[in-house]
């Protein structure tokens, strides 16, 4: 069979309808009206949610996503659980499934669990009919493409009918979008990275991106550089946050102000001003996972010093989150048992409903362990998700490793998405996510409802200091030693 029997790519299948697969294919469909996109997933509920007529029920919240789904769904964009058929009839198959940190076995706690990726490779090997370009969209350890290639090759060898066998190319095309700005990032990427060996396959994938991305931003590398560049980009970004948070602690002890320090260093072009906002510590599904993966790989390749260097970034983040919890307890006279504390924001950053690895999880757990009565507000995250994170999820924190069953603590928590009643009788307010609605609260009216002395802990530097102090409230702000 001729390898590329079509001049044009007509149909693309993306396995994994999550935070990456969903929005990525939505933007592809918008930009490439002549190609049909099928996003498939084993999770039926998720596919139903993507097909929901009510666009507020989509499984991913991203500004601008609903309008694009409305525009493309049913035209050249489809969400389906029929994985076999869509693999069989596609020219390109993206693998965009989750790659969580392994919790058991060799490399537990650090290495990526590749079982979902492997499963996808096996499905493609079994069901593909023609020449198929397999694209790694998930973030993967270096040399995973080798595993995928081997699986595809072995499956071919085992097919009964050796005639009309499909052929494959494997490319690495990691995704760099950030949640909360996914649509913008996909529309205007700083770069698109395509790693691989086959020039023809690289050209075909590049051609799709060229529909909207300037060609000088489409970088071609070898496949291993592409895989490693994705892990490295996340490690560098996370490193900046741990760096600035470490200096925030120093600011609080020395009378300096972290915003002034950030501005001063960020105006050096070599350092740059982005990713210098001190906060409650980085969250999200990827920074910690990808750094730990880098740590595992470094150790695996006999580079323990490199591993230790990067592990320090995660350790600093953990320390920083506990530091905030401890400080809240200290300010509230050393005990928060049965004190009502309002938590503003549970998502790991604003403009997303994602709570994976959110700093709020660790900080709330610390406060609950001290016996606090938390009332948690988030405009988008729902109660069920918070329950999963606070009561059931055993994979997230160091301390959890000692708990076999559900997490147990002294305090209690409740949830509301109404801001008007949340402050009644509260001893403190802790701002953990930078939702816009928290930056313009009426502190005078809030102060009247709270128990005195009442504290505001602002871990995102979003409140108006003057207004809070004028309202007879005590204020702690991250990195503010003034
Ligand atoms: P996710 O958990 O939101 O979605 C993954 C989806 O894959 C799930 O819906 C799951 O049901 C599905 N899936 C798993 N195995 C499957 C199989 N065999 N067949 C069909 N569907 C299957 O994960 P995500 O956040 O979209 O991340 C996906 C990958 O992209 C990860 O490797 C991640 O590191 C990377 N990444 C994530 C982001 C981000 O912002 N979330 C950004 C860049 C890269
Ligand atoms: C991050 C990267 O920015 C993306 O390029 C990458 O594709 C993605 O990870 C991934 O691989 O999953 P994301 O985690 O969605 O994106 O969001 P970020 O904006 O990077 O924020 C991560 C965390 O760092 C958040 O908790 C955020 O609040 C925190 N942060 C970010 C700060 O504390 N300060 C900053 O200056 C920036």
């Amino acid at each position: 069979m001729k390898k590329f029997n079509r001049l044009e790519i007509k149909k693309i299948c993306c396995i994994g309808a999550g935070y990456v697969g969903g929005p990525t294919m939505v933007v592809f469909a918008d930009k490439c009206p002549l190609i049909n996109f099928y996003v498939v997933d084993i999770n039926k509920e998720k596919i139903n949610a993507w097909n929901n007529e009510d666009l507020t029920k989509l499984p991913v919240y991203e500004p601008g996503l609903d309008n694009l789904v409305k525009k493309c769904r049913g035209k050249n964009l489809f969400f389906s659980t029929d994985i076999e058929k869509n693999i069989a009839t596609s020219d390109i198959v993206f693998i965009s499934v989750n790659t969580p940190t392994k919790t058991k076995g060799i490399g537990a706690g650090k290495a990526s669990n590749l079982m979902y990726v492997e499963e996808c490779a096996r499905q493609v090997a079994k069901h593909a009919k023609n020449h198929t370009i397999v694209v790694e969209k998930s973030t993967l350890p270096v040399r995973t493409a080798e595993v995928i290639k081997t699986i595809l090759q072995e499956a071919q060898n085992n097919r009964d009918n050796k005639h009309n066998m499909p052929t494959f190319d494997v490319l690495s095309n990691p995704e760099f979008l950030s949640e909360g700005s996914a649509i913008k990032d996909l529309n205007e990427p700083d770069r698109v990275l395509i790693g691989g060996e086959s020039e023809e396959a690289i050209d075909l994938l590049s051609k799709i991106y060229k529909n909207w991305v300037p060609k000088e931003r489409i970088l071609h590398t070898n496949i291993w550089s592409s895989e490693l560049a994705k892990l490295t980009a996340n490690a560098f970004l996370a490193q900046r946050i741990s760096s600035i948070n470490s200096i925030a602690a120093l600011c609080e002890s020395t009378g300096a102000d972290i915003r002034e320090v950030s501005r001063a260093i960020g105006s050096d072009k070599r350092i740059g001003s982005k990713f210098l906002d001190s906060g409650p510590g980085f969250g999200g599904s990827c920074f910690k996972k990808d750094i730990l993966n880098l740590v595992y790989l470094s150790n695996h390749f006999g580079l323990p010093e490199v591993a230790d260097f990067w592990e320090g970034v995660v350790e600093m983040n953990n320390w920083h989150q506990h530091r905030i919890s401890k400080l809240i307890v200290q300010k509230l006279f050393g005990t928060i048992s049965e004190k009502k504390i309002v938590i503003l924001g549970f998502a790991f950053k604003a403009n997303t409903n994602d709570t994976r690895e959110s700093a709020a999880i660790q900080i709330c757990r610390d406060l609950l362990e001290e016996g606090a009565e938390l009332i948690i507000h988030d405009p988008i995250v729902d109660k069920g998700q918070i329950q999963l994170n606070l009561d059931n999820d055993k994979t997230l924190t160091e301390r959890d490793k000692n708990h076999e069953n559900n997490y147990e603590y002294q305090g209690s928590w409740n949830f509301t998405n109404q801001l008007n009643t949340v402050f009644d009788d509260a001893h403190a307010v802790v701002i953990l996510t930078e939702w816009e609605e928290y930056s313009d609260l009426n502190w005078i009216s809030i102060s009247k409802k709270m128990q005195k002395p009442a504290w505001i802990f602002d871990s995102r530097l979003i409140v108006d200091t003057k207004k809070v102090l004028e309202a007879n409230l005590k204020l702690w702000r991250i990195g503010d030693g003034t």
Side-chain angles (χ1 to χ4, degrees):
M1 181 189 300
K2 196 160 164 267
K3 213 173 167 195
F4 291 98
N5 55 359
R6 300 180 190 89
L7 285 177
E8 299 291 334
I9 300 292
K10 294 265 190 270
K11 175 169 172 179
I12 289 178
C13 170
C14 174
I15 311 179
Y19 283 90
V20 169
T24 305
M25 290 302 122
V26 170
V27 169
F28 272 45
D30 179 42
K31 300 294 185 188
C32 311
L34 300 180
I35 301 176
N36 285 326
F37 294 86
Y38 284 77
V39 190
V40 297
D41 204 293
I42 34 172
N43 184 332
K44 202 166 174 223
E45 255 175 50
K46 200 174 272 191
I47 291 299
N48 287 344
W50 278 111
N51 283 324
N52 202 316
E53 279 304 307
D54 178 355
L55 292 168
T56 63
K57 301 266 169 26
L58 295 179
V60 172
Y61 174 78
E62 280 292 339
L65 180 68
D66 47 358
N67 281 335
L68 290 183
V69 170
K70 194 172 165 195
K71 186 175 160 194
C72 305
R73 197 175 57 189
K75 294 191 181 102
N76 68 330
L77 174 67
F78 306 90
F79 295 93
S80 165
T81 48
D82 194 342
I83 300 173
E84 294 179 20
K85 187 180 98 193
N86 286 304
I87 288 175
T89 48
S90 288
D91 308 296
I92 298 184
V93 176
F94 281 88
I95 298 180
S96 189
V97 297
N98 36 329
T99 50
T101 304
K102 274 181 90 173
T103 52
K104 290 193 178 102
I106 298 167
K110 290 206 173 69
S112 281
N113 185 343
L114 296 180
M115 63 183 273
Y116 306 107
V117 172
E118 198 181 314
E119 173 61 21
C120 290
R122 287 184 196 283
Q123 282 172 309
V124 176
K126 193 164 168 201
H127 303 299
K129 289 226 161 29
N130 300 303
H131 182 74
T132 307
I133 302 175
V134 180
V135 183
E136 299 176 344
K137 196 49 138 170
S138 297
T139 302
L140 296 168
V142 193
R143 306 207 75 88
T144 304
E146 201 69 57
V147 176
I148 294 177
K149 275 184 195 166
T150 308
I151 291 171
L152 296 173
Q153 188 60 50
E154 288 293 318
Q156 272 185 326
N157 296 344
N158 291 335
R159 281 205 187 198
D160 296 334
N161 180 2
K162 301 279 179 206
H163 300 291
N164 250 359
M165 279 213 299
T167 47
F168 300 101
D169 279 307
V170 179
L171 299 179
S172 160
N173 174 221
E175 184 48 58
F176 294 97
L177 68 81
S178 293
E179 290 180 29
S181 57
I183 302 301
K184 186 176 174 297
D185 296 342
L186 288 161
N187 276 328
E188 303 159 33
D190 286 349
R191 79 319 211 167
V192 166
L193 192 54
I194 304 177
E197 284 160 5
S198 157
E199 284 300 322
E200 275 171 307
I202 292 174
D203 285 348
L204 279 169
L205 185 56
S206 302
K207 203 171 156 203
I208 293 170
Y209 278 107
K210 278 182 196 161
N211 281 309
W212 76 101
V213 181
K215 68 174 186 313
E216 60 279 6
R217 290 203 197 162
I218 303 174
L219 312 182
H220 298 170
T221 64
N222 82 33
I223 203 156
W224 322 123
S225 305
S226 172
E227 289 176 339
L228 187 57
K230 172 61 195 175
L231 292 182
T232 309
N234 274 358
F236 268 57
L237 290 170
Q239 174 273 126
R240 275 173 83 92
I241 301 169
S242 276
S243 298
I244 205 69
N245 284 339
S246 73
I247 301 300
L250 206 54
C251 285
E252 289 164 34
S253 306
T254 57
D257 181 338
I258 194 65
R259 286 168 316 163
E260 292 180 354
V261 175
S262 294
R263 204 174 71 221
I265 63 167
S267 46
D268 182 329
K269 286 199 190 71
R270 294 169 303 172
I271 296 175
S273 60
K274 303 235 170 85
F275 259 73
L276 287 180
D277 292 331
S278 184
F282 58 77
S285 63
C286 295
F287 278 177
K288 183 171 158 193
K289 156 178 90 66
D290 292 348
I291 293 182
L292 292 178
N293 192 354
L294 204 57
V295 169
Y296 178 76
L297 285 171
S298 305
N299 276 323
H300 175 79
F301 288 106
L303 299 165
E305 291 79 7
V306 178
D308 290 350
F309 175 78
W310 287 109
E311 194 157 16
V313 172
V314 174
E315 282 167 5
M316 173 55 63
N317 199 51
N318 291 339
W319 174 81
H320 180 71
Q321 289 173 2
H322 290 304
R323 181 178 87 82
I324 295 175
S325 323
K326 274 191 202 149
L327 196 141
I328 295 169
V329 177
Q330 268 164 19
K331 299 273 186 215
L332 296 179
F333 307 115
T335 174
I336 54 170
S337 185
E338 294 181 22
K339 285 184 181 162
K340 181 176 165 184
I341 299 180
V342 177
I343 302 292
L344 293 185
F346 204 82
F348 81 97
K349 64 187 278 197
N351 294 318
T352 176
N353 60 342
D354 196 347
T355 63
R356 290 177 289 181
E357 298 288 344
S358 177
I361 298 171
Q362 186 58 63
I363 293 172
C364 286
R365 283 182 170 185
D366 286 347
L367 301 179
L368 286 167
E369 196 157 81
E370 292 287 333
E373 288 175 11
L374 303 183
I375 175 127
I376 302 171
H377 175 274
D378 192 286
I380 299 283
V381 177
D382 63 39
K383 186 176 179 180
Q385 183 57 44
I386 296 174
Q387 190 150 26
L388 201 70
N389 293 144
L390 289 183
D391 299 347
N392 302 118
D393 197 329
K394 298 194 287 288
T395 62
L396 293 167
T397 61
E398 283 301 305
R399 190 183 297 131
D400 283 349
K401 287 182 188 156
N402 304 322
H403 291 258
E404 281 299 317
N405 300 312
N406 283 0
Y407 190 67
E408 284 171 21
Y409 37 68
Q410 300 290 310
S412 63
W413 67 271
N414 225 318
F415 172 77
T416 179
N417 53 14
Q418 299 299 315
L419 266 182
N420 47 356
T421 51
V422 75
F423 303 102
D424 294 348
D425 296 321
H427 290 82
V429 175
V430 184
I431 300 174
L432 293 179
T433 312
E434 72 283 22
W435 288 106
E436 205 178 331
E437 59 201 280
Y438 302 150
S439 60
D440 195 25
L441 293 167
N442 182 340
W443 292 111
I444 296 202
S445 110
I446 290 170
S447 176
K448 285 183 189 143
K449 297 175 183 171
M450 293 179 71
Q451 302 214 33
K452 299 294 174 334
W455 275 91
I456 310 302
F457 296 91
D458 179 8
S459 77
R460 292 285 187 173
L461 295 169
I462 56 170
V463 301
D464 184 328
T465 311
K466 203 162 154 251
K467 285 188 184 159
V468 174
L469 296 177
E470 276 171 7
N472 191 25
L473 293 162
K474 292 183 175 298
L475 176 64
W476 170 87
R477 297 192 317 151
I478 197 141
D480 186 356
T482 56

